[in-house]
Amino acid sequence: MAFIISSPCKDEKAAECVDVCPVDCIEEGKDMFYIDPDICIDCGACEAVCPVEAIYHEDELPEEENEYIEINRKFFQE
């Protein structure tokens, strides 16, 4: 998994990330968006346009947001 959408997206769902994703790997959930790690090509376009700065490369995700790694995984396992 390369990029993670974290808590600032929750209930915000601005969707600029969806518009710029060249491979359509971002899916809308009930409260926020999620990045499909099997489709993501690590281009970073989504991170650059997020108005609430909710998208991080997994290696740069703030420690207090680590739970979103598992939240993202669970979304795509359902």
Side-chain angles (χ1 to χ4, degrees), residues 14-22 24 26-28 33 46 49 55:
E16 282 90 335
C17 56
V18 176
D19 296 336
V20 300
C21 182
D24 296 325
I26 302 172
E27 294 188 27
E28 185 174 359
F33 288 98
C46 58
V49 300
I55 303 174

Side-chain angles (χ1 to χ4, degrees), residues 59-73:
D59 295 339
E60 298 171 356
L61 188 67
E63 191 173 322
E64 64 271 11
E65 297 287 333
N66 279 344
E67 69 182 301
Y68 283 87
I69 295 171
E70 187 59 28
I71 290 169
N72 192 80
R73 284 190 184 120

Side-chain angles (χ1 to χ4, degrees), residues 1-2 6 9 11 14-15 22 30 35 40 49 54 75 77:
M1 187 176 309
S6 62
C9 183
D11 297 321
K30 180 182 174 190
I35 296 174
C40 180
V49 300
F75 179 81
Q77 291 175 349

